[in-house]
Amino acid sequence: MSMDLDTPVPVPALPASKTGAATFVAAILRPYPANRSRILCYNCGAPIDGTTSAGALCHDCIKLTIDISSGIPREATLHFCRDCDRWLQPPQHWLVAAPESRELLALCLRKLRGLTKVRIIDASFIWTEPHSRRIKVRLTVQQEAFESTILQQSFEVEYVVATQQCPECAKSYTHNTWRACVQVRQKVTHKRTFLFLEQLILKHGAHRDTINIKEAKDGLDFYFAARNHAEKFVDFLNSVAPVRTKKSQELISVDIHSATKSYKFSYSVELIPICKDDLVALPVKLAHSIGNIAPLALCHRIGTAINLLDPRTLHTADVATPQYWRAPFTSLAEVSELVEYVVMDIEMLGVTKGRWALAEATVARASDLGRNDVTYFTRTHLGNLLKVGDSVLGYHLAGTNFNNPAYEALEKSSSLASTLPDVVLVKKFYARKKKGTKGRTWRLKRMAKDEGELLPKKQDQDKMERDYEMFLRDVEEDAELRNVLQLYKNSNKGFREGRMEGVIQEGEKKVVDGGAAAMEVESEDGTEDDEVPKIEIDELLDEFEDLNVEEKEEDEV
């Protein structure tokens, strides 16, 4: 039986209700119009329309023989830093991307060549084992194979995750590799200011970008891997303390071909050499310009400025940082020169200001009791804290020679010499127990610092412990100071009774510089004053690492 391909074949009409597959079959079997020529596919012999066929191939043969993804690789490599969990985006950029995230998918697509010649329809991850170090992505692309013929294909690409250390992590494991250094200095004989500054840095997390913290003479050195991190840290210091900053840079290398240079930057940050509870003698001109305060004043707080208090009148004044550096002055006496006095008589004057109350007191040196009857009459701002028989710390000015030009000018002044007191009382002294205490129920965090090549001597270590003990006492006695710090519950079960890390052992009789008997850690009779300030448990924080969270399994129904 012979068949003519050009002879039309009659097809029976389909019911109008049939749709879907029946309609498709009917469309295939419907005869071509007489004005169109039909040819055979040269690959499989199927009849096709010769006027619209591409390359004399049917649709099935086009899908089988033409690969539009031939120029796209099926394998690639991704570089991952295990220290900082970042991915390398060539040539030198490192970015953070979570597993199966949009950022990681974009990075995977950038690694493939040839995607610019096709149109991406869809891209998705295929689940793989985390330990396999493989990432699989399914891609769907479109491209025009012939004129008016568009093909769509789906394929998989496998990525191998290779580990590579980023430059920042490599620098962190290399000594003396830093780009910027911030040198913080204060020319005083103690470390109490740096202890306070350390707590502020820990509270605000300003040390997160440091690669090393090293102790130096009169201060600390902070090292950073980037210049902007150092500038951010300097801005933080300017916002919490009165400082003066100087900047310098050193040329490390230069490329004459690309005209690129490498520098190391150093920032010198100098703190004002005035500390809390210091006695200062102001120049008369400066005292008149800041509110006509008395030239002899106490520094009751250090913030972004120097806060001064006149204990005889309760007048306060602030010395701004630029104003101080235009006419700098030093402290007349420091806390290491405090002397213990015993209150013999006190009378309130009825003048109050905040937490201070003005009073007239008669005091005697504790070392003079039983030897002579010398007493001193003075005015004090501690009227609401003192009563007869209490011990108080103060500066002894009568008969003391100070090498200070401003104080000598006050002594020679005809109008101001008569106003100079014999004694300036600073703060109340609380006796501590000699033995039997279980240590403090609170603690402070400390920064990890590098002590350098030479370890401190034993006497220097003892002095650092005494400074830290004095700072802890200031925290206990000053509620305003506690408000700006973070105190944590002492949950360290390894510390033994009566001792904490970095704190003097109670029972060890050590005194501060100057030999003031009032600053001994132990009391003479082994009793503790009932009025010793205690920090309530509500003021303490629970450290996150110390919280033991146990997951309870729900009962199955």
Side-chain angles (χ1 to χ4, degrees):
M1 179 180 179
S2 62
M3 178 182 292
D4 190 358
L5 296 179
D6 296 331
T7 304
V9 179
V11 178
L14 295 174
S17 60
K18 292 185 178 181
T19 57
T23 304
F24 177 76
V25 172
I28 293 297
L29 298 179
R30 185 176 294 113
Y32 288 93
N35 58 351
R36 291 188 181 182
S37 61
R38 286 178 295 176
I39 62 174
L40 296 178
C41 175
Y42 77 87
N43 190 25
C44 64
I48 57 176
D49 186 2
T51 60
T52 60
S53 63
L57 291 172
C58 62
H59 293 290
D60 295 334
C61 293
I62 290 176
K63 293 179 181 179
L64 293 175
T65 58
I66 298 179
D67 185 10
I68 62 175
S69 62
S70 59
I72 303 175
R74 297 297 193 272
E75 292 183 356
T77 303
L78 297 177
H79 296 280
F80 176 73
C81 180
R82 291 184 293 184
D83 296 326
C84 60
D85 294 339
R86 294 190 299 174
W87 301 83
L88 174 61
Q89 179 178 339
Q92 297 180 351
H93 182 63
W94 292 80
L95 56 88
V96 179
E100 297 189 4
S101 62
R102 298 180 60 182
E103 293 79 7
L104 184 58
L105 182 60
L107 177 62
C108 293
L109 296 179
R110 293 191 192 100
K111 295 286 292 185
L112 298 179
R113 296 181 179 179
L115 287 181
T116 57
K117 300 179 181 180
V118 297
R119 179 184 180 186
I120 301 176
I121 301 301
D122 186 28
S124 60
F125 286 100
I126 301 176
W127 186 86
T128 56
E129 291 287 348
H131 63 272
S132 64
R133 313 298 294 178
R134 297 292 187 273
I135 296 177
K136 291 185 178 181
V137 178
R138 181 185 298 276
L139 292 177
T140 301
V141 297
Q142 284 185 354
Q143 188 182 22
E144 186 177 11
F146 300 100
E147 185 179 357
S148 69
T149 303
I150 298 177
L151 293 182
Q152 177 174 313
Q153 291 182 356
S154 297
F155 58 95
E156 296 180 3
V157 180
E158 182 177 351
Y159 296 87
V160 179
V161 180
T163 58
Q164 178 179 341
Q165 199 173 44
C166 64
E168 288 77 8
C169 294
K171 289 182 180 180
S172 64
Y173 290 99
T174 306
H175 296 287
N176 302 324
T177 303
W178 49 272
R179 184 56 59 89
C181 175
V182 179
Q183 302 172 345
V184 186
R185 298 290 186 269
Q186 186 184 33
K187 298 179 181 179
V188 292
T189 59
H190 56 81
K191 295 285 186 179
R192 291 168 56 231
T193 304
F194 281 98
L195 293 172
F196 174 67
L197 187 61
E198 177 184 9
Q199 298 303 316
L200 292 180
I201 293 174
L202 289 172
K203 179 180 179 180
H204 298 279
H207 66 300
R208 286 193 298 263
D209 297 325
T210 58
I211 60 176
N212 191 18
I213 302 175
K214 185 179 294 186
E215 291 191 8
K217 183 180 180 182
D218 298 333
L220 296 172
D221 291 341
F222 298 84
Y223 296 93
F224 299 88
R227 175 186 177 184
N228 56 340
H229 294 163
E231 292 179 346
K232 180 180 177 181
F233 184 74
V234 172
D235 293 339
F236 169 77
L237 295 179
N238 280 287
S239 64
V240 298
V243 298
R244 178 174 61 177
T245 306
K246 294 182 180 180
K247 174 187 172 183
S248 62
Q249 60 185 16
E250 178 185 1
L251 180 62
I252 302 301
S253 61
V254 58
D255 187 355
I256 59 175
H257 301 287
S258 59
T260 57
K261 301 178 182 179
S262 177
Y263 290 93
K264 278 190 174 182
F265 302 91
S266 298
Y267 298 87
S268 176
V269 180
E270 183 179 358
L271 292 170
I272 288 178
I274 306 294
C275 303
K276 183 176 177 292
D277 297 333
D278 283 358
L279 182 66
V280 296
L282 301 174
V284 178
K285 185 177 180 180
L286 178 61
H288 289 325
S289 64
I290 60 175
N292 201 21
I293 193 175
L296 194 65
L298 278 175
C299 176
H300 68 91
R301 184 176 57 187
I302 292 291
T304 55
I306 305 175
N307 305 123
L308 301 177
L309 168 69
D310 182 7
R312 299 178 67 252
T313 60
L314 299 186
H315 290 172
T316 58
D318 298 338
V319 180
T321 304
Q323 191 175 14
Y324 173 83
W325 291 114
R326 285 196 297 266
F329 56 88
T330 58
S331 58
L332 185 64
E334 299 178 351
V335 291
S336 60
E337 304 173 21
L338 289 173
V339 179
E340 182 184 0
Y341 293 90
V342 178
V343 179
M344 311 301 294
D345 186 21
I346 188 168
E347 181 180 355
M348 301 293 295
L349 298 180
V351 180
T352 60
K353 186 174 184 179
R355 58 191 177 96
W356 301 310
L358 191 62
E360 292 181 344
T362 302
V363 297
R365 281 194 296 190
S367 59
D368 292 343
L369 295 180
R371 298 181 181 179
N372 53 54
D373 298 332
V374 178
T375 59
Y376 302 94
F377 179 80
T378 185
R379 281 191 175 188
T380 178
H381 61 289
L382 305 175
N384 56 344
L385 297 178
L386 300 179
K387 60 181 182 294
V388 177
D390 286 347
S391 296
V392 61
L393 300 178
Y395 295 109
H396 191 79
L397 304 183
T400 305
N401 294 325
F402 295 101
N403 186 15
N404 190 291
Y407 186 74
E408 293 177 358
L410 296 179
E411 290 181 328
K412 296 178 181 179
S413 175
S414 58
S415 59
L416 299 176
S418 59
T419 62
L420 297 178
D422 295 333
V423 174
V424 177
L425 302 182
V426 178
K427 59 183 178 179
K428 185 177 179 179
F429 173 70
Y430 299 94
R432 264 75 173 181
K433 281 185 179 180
K434 180 178 180 181
K435 293 181 180 179
T437 56
K438 295 183 180 181
R440 294 180 172 88
T441 58
W442 56 276
R443 64 187 180 90
L444 297 173
K445 283 187 176 181
R446 302 297 304 273
M447 288 190 306
K449 298 185 288 291
D450 185 6
E451 296 180 351
E453 299 178 356
L454 298 177
L455 296 176
K457 299 179 181 179
K458 185 178 184 303
Q459 56 183 2
D460 296 335
Q461 184 68 27
D462 294 342
K463 185 177 180 301
M464 293 171 60
E465 291 182 354
R466 291 196 297 269
D467 292 341
Y468 190 66
E469 172 65 23
M470 292 176 62
F471 176 71
L472 294 180
R473 291 189 177 190
D474 289 339
V475 174
E476 289 178 337
E477 298 171 5
D478 194 345
E480 292 184 358
L481 181 60
R482 293 198 299 269
N483 292 335
V484 297
L485 303 181
Q486 288 184 337
L487 280 64
Y488 296 89
K489 295 179 182 178
N490 187 13
S491 58
N492 185 12
K493 300 178 182 179
F495 77 96
R496 59 187 177 89
E497 185 174 342
R499 181 174 177 85
M500 291 175 56
E501 182 181 358
V503 183
I504 266 183
Q505 290 190 39
E506 300 201 12
E508 296 179 356
K509 193 171 183 179
K510 295 182 180 180
V511 298
V512 299
D513 296 340
M519 295 305 295
E520 292 180 355
V521 174
E522 63 182 21
S523 60
E524 296 293 339
D525 54 357
T527 60
E528 184 176 4
D529 195 341
D530 295 335
E531 299 180 358
V532 173
K534 298 185 183 300
I535 300 178
E536 301 296 335
I537 196 69
D538 298 338
E539 302 181 35
L540 305 180
L541 302 175
D542 286 316
E543 193 170 2
F544 184 78
E545 291 80 359
D546 297 338
L547 296 178
N548 297 323
V549 181
E550 298 181 358
E551 297 181 357
K552 297 182 179 181
E553 298 181 357
E554 298 181 358
D555 298 335
E556 296 182 358
V557 180

